[in-house]
Amino acid sequence: MEPWPSRSLALLLCAAGALLLLPAGDPGSWGRALLPLLLLAGGAALLRLCARPLALRRAPERVGYLPEPGCSRHQAARRARRSRRAGELPPLYPNGWYRLLDSHGLPRGGVRSLAALGEQVAVFRALDGQVYVVDAYCPHLGANLAAGGRVMGNCIECPFHGWQFRGEDGKCTTIPYAEKVPDFAKIKTWPSCEINGIILVWYHGDGVDPEWAVPEQEEITSKEWVYRGHTEHFVNAHIQEIPENAADFAHLTFLHEPVFMSGVDLRYTHSKLWESVKHCWKAEWQPEPEPNKHCSQLVVKHSLTVFGKHFSLMDFTVRARQVGPGLVYLTFEHAFLGRGIILQSVTPVEPLLQQVIHRIYYQRNMPAVIPKFILKVECVQFERDIMIWNNKQYLSKPLLVKEDSAIQRHRRWFAQFYTENSTRFTFQKGGLDW
């Protein structure tokens, strides 16, 4: 953000000053003097608006629910959640790496309290720059370490009694009023890493150490591609539903065929107003072999038709690489619009609530308005999916036809992320509310 006052405001203030200095009896000279300044101020504001990264955040009840007469948006969403039958769910938290927050959101000495994977964790950056993730609650008397706790070297200090816990192994190093620190005084630590501008945590139902590393995107690290914005959504569904879309080719043709201008409300996306313009999709999904069996590849070829005629300028190919259950790298290249990537992260916050972040990075020499437009179009298509996910039931034994065979292959591939001790949740009746 620019410091206040902004350049635009400064120009407007100059214009106001010029107005005060002009002779009172010559109104024509006012316009001649002010017009260039006003045009400069407006142009500067427009340029900054185009260059500023897109930031679009949707609350859980904002997207994916039908309105109900006499109800607020929040009330309608709550009714839908409570009345839905969730189905026979797989384990809630598959094993893998999950995004917690962006790197720039945690400065040296910073502490954050975050909900993820049904847990509350404290994330802090030591004074040497290393990031650590520990259980949020002090084992002494349960104080939240991130609610007033301080970073002391590579330790986090409890705000209640001053106990200090080492980020590396969770060992308590200091109890200010005790003669000796017991050997068993420690807090749980979570494996974490920092890559591609985000901080991630490793989860495994059996407590196994990380089995694979998060791949680095070289163009982001080298700053060849620059950050151009992000979107944030919350999806009321099991996490498996989201990556499973990659193998559901038929839904691309039906749900995502209507042009993005027709919006996200599925009651109206097939309206006759926009039926002359259609997205066309051809997709292929395959799991990767060892040593990358935790990855899969989706190749999507897109084209656009206008009044039934192929509009070749909008031809492009997207390669989406799924890395574990919670990360997707969507890379794309266009002859005129350039190259870039959307990093998708899906993090289970609690049962049937997924936080989904899309971050776009694009080549530096392309106008920022291009990646922002791409991200906005992707947002529209994603919100159509949310309307399905937020209201559907998970079926462990779906009725599939021959053309749906990729869905069954995807489920067999995804099953590797579950273990015997993976967290399960049983719904006695109705759905889940938060």
Side-chain angles (χ1 to χ4, degrees):
M1 295 291 291
E2 280 191 13
W4 190 92
S6 68
R7 291 188 181 90
S8 298
L9 182 58
L11 287 170
L12 289 173
L13 290 174
C14 289
L19 178 63
L20 293 174
L21 294 174
L22 288 172
D26 188 7
S29 63
W30 300 354
R32 290 192 297 273
L34 289 177
L35 184 59
L37 288 173
L38 291 174
L39 289 174
L40 280 173
L46 182 60
L47 285 173
R48 270 199 321 281
L49 183 64
C50 292
R52 183 177 299 163
L54 177 68
L56 193 155
R57 299 180 179 90
R58 303 292 201 201
E61 69 277 1
R62 177 78 179 177
V63 178
Y65 297 103
L66 293 174
E68 291 189 20
C71 292
S72 66
R73 184 173 285 155
H74 178 78
Q75 290 170 332
R78 186 177 182 184
R79 284 188 181 183
R81 291 193 296 264
R82 291 175 66 89
S83 64
R84 186 176 63 162
R85 300 301 185 263
E88 185 180 344
L89 296 172
L92 296 177
Y93 308 129
N95 303 324
W97 287 102
Y98 295 98
R99 173 197 172 277
L100 288 177
L101 74 160
D102 297 336
S103 295
H104 66 77
L106 192 70
R108 290 175 188 261
V111 187
R112 292 283 301 274
S113 179
L114 298 170
L117 300 152
E119 304 281 353
Q120 195 75 22
V121 297
V123 187
F124 70 95
R125 191 184 295 277
L127 299 183
D128 63 2
Q130 182 65 40
V131 173
Y132 298 103
V133 181
V134 301
D135 273 2
Y137 300 112
C138 179
H140 177 215
L141 284 173
N144 189 326
L145 299 175
R150 298 184 301 169
V151 174
M152 309 294 288
N154 66 341
C155 297
I156 185 169
E157 181 184 73
C158 177
F160 201 6
H161 297 91
W163 291 34
Q164 293 181 11
F165 299 91
R166 196 160 51 209
E168 184 178 359
D169 56 11
K171 182 77 174 62
C172 182
T173 61
T174 302
I175 300 177
Y177 55 88
E179 294 182 2
K180 181 182 178 182
V181 177
D183 292 336
F184 56 83
K186 63 185 305 183
I187 196 167
K188 179 182 176 180
T189 60
W190 298 72
S192 61
C193 71
E194 188 171 11
I195 194 167
N196 299 328
I198 58 176
I199 297 168
L200 303 104
V201 66
W202 170 262
Y203 172 87
H204 196 286
D206 293 335
V208 176
D209 288 337
E211 299 174 322
W212 43 271
V214 177
E216 178 184 58
Q217 190 68 34
E218 183 180 344
E219 292 88 348
I220 296 177
T221 305
S222 66
K223 301 190 185 304
E224 179 184 345
W225 292 349
V226 295
Y227 170 73
R228 293 302 189 189
H230 76 277
T231 62
E232 178 184 27
H233 295 87
F234 290 89
V235 179
N236 182 212
H238 189 279
I239 184 174
Q240 184 176 318
E241 302 272 21
I242 298 173
E244 192 167 284
N245 261 20
D248 185 1
F249 310 141
H251 100 282
L252 288 173
T253 304
F254 191 77
L255 187 66
H256 298 295
E257 180 186 65
V259 68
F260 69 92
M261 283 95 79
S262 62
V264 302
D265 191 327
L266 303 185
R267 297 172 297 173
Y268 310 117
T269 52
H270 290 273
S271 68
K272 292 187 177 181
L273 178 63
W274 298 105
E275 66 179 4
S276 58
V277 186
K278 295 180 179 179
H279 297 285
C280 302
W281 312 90
K282 291 183 179 180
E284 182 180 355
W285 176 87
Q286 292 291 341
E288 294 187 20
E290 291 282 8
N292 296 321
K293 68 174 185 177
H294 59 280
C295 300
S296 66
Q297 292 270 1
L298 171 68
V299 179
V300 180
K301 295 182 178 180
H302 171 270
S303 60
L304 191 74
T305 61
V306 182
F307 293 104
K309 294 188 177 181
H310 180 209
F311 189 59
S312 59
L313 184 63
M314 295 305 296
D315 288 357
F316 61 86
T317 299
V318 177
R319 288 176 170 81
R321 190 187 192 208
Q322 177 89 32
V323 181
L327 301 171
V328 181
Y329 294 58
L330 297 104
T331 56
F332 41 86
E333 183 173 355
H334 190 276
F336 304 106
L337 301 181
R339 300 169 60 238
I341 188 170
I342 293 178
L343 297 180
Q344 181 197 71
S345 63
V346 184
T347 303
V349 179
E350 58 186 49
L352 294 193
L353 183 62
Q354 318 300 324
Q355 182 195 42
V356 184
I357 305 288
H358 291 91
R359 296 171 56 87
I360 190 166
Y361 293 84
Y362 218 76
Q363 61 185 77
R364 185 183 297 273
N365 61 346
M366 295 300 293
V369 69
I370 292 175
K372 288 167 68 174
F373 174 75
I374 292 173
L375 185 60
K376 180 62 178 175
V377 172
E378 192 277 339
C379 177
V380 170
Q381 298 288 9
F382 188 73
E383 289 183 4
R384 292 181 185 178
D385 288 312
I386 293 178
M387 196 166 192
I388 298 295
W389 293 324
N390 279 9
N391 297 278
K392 78 184 295 293
Q393 181 185 61
Y394 178 85
L395 297 178
S396 58
K397 297 179 180 180
L399 197 164
L400 302 176
V401 296
K402 181 180 65 175
E403 290 77 8
D404 295 324
S405 60
I407 297 175
Q408 203 62 37
R409 289 192 295 117
H410 189 280
R411 289 197 172 191
R412 289 195 294 268
W413 171 79
F414 200 86
Q416 68 178 301
F417 303 119
Y418 299 128
T419 60
E420 290 295 327
N421 294 325
S422 295
T423 304
R424 291 184 178 272
F425 193 91
T426 302
F427 292 87
Q428 301 299 326
K429 63 178 181 177
L432 182 74
D433 190 26
W434 68 81

